């Protein structure tokens, strides 16, 4: 029989009740952890749809690992270990995909296409950017693409490129200089 | 799928039945392991000088250390079968304490006997039967331990694999000390300790393949 649950029950206690068959307690756990997980994942991922995908993955993992939780231990430590594991798994998959196909993924970029003018403008900017970036050495182009188009942090880019953070910064700085020079060249020609 | 729908689906399924405490798992495991050890030893037969050896403090101490190594590494493997390592991250280093003390006590004062010449000589004797015994003895309990660890969820598969292997091979080493009347330190290093190290490395790889949480 389901009973009314108090509002301030800790997650460990809720899990104990859930393991005893209280569906309501199990539902409450998910409701309470979702905002925490969204906050945790969104620090690493920029696109909300990616965040939601990873949060769902984490929820499924928590459910699948529910038999390994010892209710005498803090719930959040257990939960965050799973969350970190799944998030790293996701990032690893994304990085390995990027490594395999290092072409600049402009198609993935979201442009504001609410009116025709914006579409034209976006395409012009895109072409201009492609033109300048195509003159960069491959490594610098990849770094700029990851940091400025795909939205990775310096740390994430460094990990994906198997470089140190400072090496990424130096490479990016050189790339900006080259891009500025190239932009100047193009403007002079036009 | 919407997150709310997913939650509803998970709630309908309900959480899984909790696993027994790692300590309890280790006790059950130890009981099974000791029965196995006794049966095998009785089948093969104790070393002829076992009564005399059991009277030696160093031998008994080595026996206790190996037992400690086997138990703590099994406990570590069971804790590592939880995603958070049962929130005792230090536990996986405890077996190394036993290992270190065992190395010091088992081989201290034998520096004269442990030299390159003796090691090379021991290697030339081709005592492949010793590592074979250790491996054969370790395989059935090893498979059982991997199976039990796999029932959980590990986020540190290399550690879990190596701890499980270290546990069964330390019992394998213990068995060899009970049945083989050879106390030559060079022989023990080359044909017992080194193969165990190799088997543990193999265990790490097996851990990666078998225990990784997908």
């Amino acid at each position: 029989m389901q009973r009314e649950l108090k509002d301030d029950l800790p997650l460990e206690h809720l899990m104990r009740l859930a393991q005893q068959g209280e569906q309501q307690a199990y539902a409450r756990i998910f409701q309470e952890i979702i905002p925490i997980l969204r906050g945790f994942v969104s620090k690493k991922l920029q696109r909300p749809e990616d965040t939601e995908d990873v949060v769902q993955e984490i929820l499924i993992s928590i459910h699948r690992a529910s038999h390994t939780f010892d209710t005498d231990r803090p719930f959040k430590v257990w939960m965050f270990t799973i969350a970190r594991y799944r998030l790293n798994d996701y990032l690893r998959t994304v990085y390995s995909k990027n490594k395999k196909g290092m072409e600049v993924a402009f198609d993935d970029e979201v442009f504001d296409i609410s009116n025709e003018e914006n579409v034209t403008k976006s395409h012009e900017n895109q072409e201009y950017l492609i033109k300048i970036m195509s003159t960069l050495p491959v490594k610098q182009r990849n770094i700029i693409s990851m940091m400025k188009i795909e939205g990775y942090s310096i740390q994430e880019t460094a990990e994906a490129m198997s470089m140190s953070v400072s090496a990424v910064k130096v490479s990016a700085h050189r790339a900006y200089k080259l891009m500025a020079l190239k932009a100047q060249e193009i403007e002079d020609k036009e | 799928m919407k997150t709310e729908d997913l939650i509803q689906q998970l709630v309908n399924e309900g959480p899984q039945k909790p696993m027994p405490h790692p300590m309890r798992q280790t006790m059950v495991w130890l009981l099974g392991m000791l029965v196995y050890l006794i049966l095998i030893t009785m089948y093969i037969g104790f070393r002829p000088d076992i009564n005399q050896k059991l009277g030696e403090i160093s031998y008994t101490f080595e026996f206790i250390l190996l037992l400690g190594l086997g138990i703590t590494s099994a406990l570590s493997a069971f804790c590592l079968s939880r995603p958070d390592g049962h929130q005792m991250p230090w536990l996986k280093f405890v077996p190394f304490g036993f290992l270190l003390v065992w190395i010091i006590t088992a081989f201290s004062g034998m520096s004269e006997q442990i030299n390159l010449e003796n090691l090379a000589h021991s290697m030339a004797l081709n005592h492949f039967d010793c590592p074979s015994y250790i491996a054969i003895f370790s395989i059935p309990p090893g498979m059982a331990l991997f199976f039990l660890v796999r029932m959980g969820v590990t986020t540190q598969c290399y550690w879990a694999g190596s701890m499980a292997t270290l546990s069964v091979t330390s019992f394998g080493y213990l068995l060899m000390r009970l049945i083989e009347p050879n106390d030559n330190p060079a022989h023990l290093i080359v044909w017992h300790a080194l193969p165990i190290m190799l088997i543990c490395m193999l265990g790490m790889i097996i851990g990666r393949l078998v225990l990784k949480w997908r």
Side-chain angles (χ1 to χ4, degrees):
Chain A
M1 195 182 112
Q2 302 288 319
R3 59 188 158 183
E4 198 63 36
L5 295 169
K6 283 184 193 168
D7 286 342
D8 56 348
L9 282 178
L11 289 165
E12 296 78 18
H13 190 76
L14 287 171
M15 193 59 161
R16 195 173 298 132
L17 292 174
Q19 284 175 345
Q20 288 164 3
E22 285 266 2
Q23 279 196 337
Q24 216 184 334
Y26 202 39
R28 172 90 79 78
I29 291 171
F30 287 123
Q31 283 156 13
E32 286 194 21
I33 63 173
I34 274 204
I36 305 171
L37 291 174
R38 279 190 185 131
F40 175 73
V41 175
S42 62
K43 277 183 193 165
K44 290 274 180 188
L45 304 175
Q46 287 188 334
R47 290 167 35 149
E49 56 270 33
D50 290 346
T51 302
E52 210 52 32
D53 279 352
V54 176
V55 167
Q56 289 195 4
E57 278 287 317
I58 296 170
L59 292 177
I60 293 169
S61 299
I62 286 174
H63 173 70
R64 279 172 49 206
S66 56
H67 63 302
T68 66
F69 178 66
D70 181 347
T71 50
D72 293 332
R73 307 252 162 202
F75 180 86
K76 280 186 185 169
V77 178
W78 178 79
M79 178 192 81
F80 276 119
T81 315
I82 295 173
R84 206 172 299 118
Y85 183 81
R86 278 289 162 245
L87 180 60
N88 288 343
D89 235 17
Y90 176 82
L91 291 173
R92 213 175 292 124
T93 314
V94 169
Y95 290 158
S96 62
K97 268 184 194 166
N98 283 348
K99 268 187 182 170
K100 277 176 196 163
M102 278 313 264
E103 295 305 314
V104 180
F106 284 106
D107 293 342
D108 292 343
E109 182 67 320
V110 180
F111 292 99
D112 178 11
I113 48 168
S114 49
N115 57 49
E116 274 183 31
E117 198 185 334
N118 274 351
V119 172
T120 319
K121 189 79 181 159
S122 299
H123 276 293
E124 279 174 9
N125 286 341
Q126 194 177 329
E127 278 171 21
Y128 185 67
L129 200 60
I130 290 171
K131 201 171 176 183
I132 295 177
M133 282 183 65
S134 63
T135 63
L136 292 173
V138 179
K139 195 187 249 181
Q140 289 181 1
R141 192 165 65 220
N142 291 338
I143 288 172
I144 296 298
S145 164
M146 287 186 78
M147 285 169 57
K148 296 297 168 191
I149 297 173
E150 292 167 55
Y152 289 98
S153 67
I154 294 181
Q155 182 73 43
E156 289 165 347
T157 310
E159 278 174 28
M161 303 282 293
S162 304
M163 292 168 74
S164 68
V165 171
S166 53
V168 169
K169 280 183 188 171
V170 170
S171 261
H173 185 68
R174 284 180 186 154
Y176 298 148
K177 272 189 169 179
L178 276 175
M179 284 172 79
L181 279 172
K182 199 69 202 171
Q184 191 63 51
E185 242 175 62
I186 292 169
E187 273 176 29
D188 288 348
K189 275 183 193 170
E190 286 170 356
Chain B
M1 183 191 253
K2 279 184 180 176
T3 306
E4 288 68 29
D5 297 338
L6 174 71
I7 290 175
Q8 195 50 55
Q9 195 181 314
L10 300 179
V11 169
N12 289 342
E13 282 179 28
Q16 297 178 56
K17 195 174 166 241
M19 286 175 86
H21 193 277
M23 195 64 89
R24 196 175 159 194
Q25 285 182 302
T26 310
M27 296 309 284
V28 173
W29 160 254
L30 184 65
L31 195 70
M33 194 70 196
L34 287 177
V35 169
Y36 184 66
L37 188 81
I38 291 165
L39 287 176
I40 295 270
T41 315
M42 282 170 67
Y43 178 72
I44 299 171
F46 284 101
R47 56 192 288 173
D49 58 347
I50 187 71
N51 288 332
Q52 182 206 328
K53 291 301 286 182
L54 285 172
E56 289 176 18
I57 294 171
S58 58
Y59 184 82
T60 315
F61 192 50
E62 186 188 353
F63 193 91
I64 293 167
L65 286 171
L66 285 168
L67 210 56
L69 178 63
I71 294 169
T72 51
S73 43
L75 180 63
S76 294
F78 283 122
C79 284
L80 287 164
S81 71
R82 276 74 177 165
D84 56 352
H86 207 62
Q87 301 182 24
M88 293 194 287
W90 47 268
L91 189 66
K92 57 180 178 270
F93 300 108
V94 174
F96 293 106
F98 279 97
L99 194 65
L100 191 69
V101 179
W102 168 70
I103 290 169
I104 292 167
T105 53
F107 302 110
S108 63
M110 295 179 179
S111 53
E112 283 178 15
Q113 293 175 63
I114 305 168
N115 53 41
L116 272 179
E117 196 184 333
N118 280 351
L119 291 173
H121 173 70
S122 184
M123 206 170 272
L125 291 174
N126 292 337
H127 282 294
F128 287 104
D129 51 331
C130 294
S132 309
Y133 265 122
I134 294 174
I136 291 167
F137 174 74
S138 304
I139 287 171
M143 283 169 69
L145 188 52
F146 267 85
F147 175 75
L148 289 171
V149 172
R150 206 174 184 276
M151 282 169 75
V153 161
T154 179
T155 52
Q156 301 174 64
C157 48
Y158 286 112
W159 271 104
S162 58
M163 285 294 127
T165 318
L166 185 61
S167 178
V168 288
T169 48
S170 59
F171 280 108
Y173 190 99
L174 193 75
L175 173 86
M176 291 308 291
R177 298 292 287 139
L178 286 171
I179 61 171
E180 193 195 34
N182 191 343
D183 293 325
N184 182 341
H187 169 81
L188 293 178
I189 289 174
V190 173
W191 295 108
H192 293 212
L194 285 179
I196 283 181
M197 278 177 65
L198 290 175
I199 295 172
C200 285
M201 283 181 204
L202 189 69
M204 283 174 81
I205 298 164
I206 296 171
R208 170 76 173 78
L209 295 172
V210 176
L211 303 175
K212 187 169 166 45
W213 191 23
R214 298 179 202 278

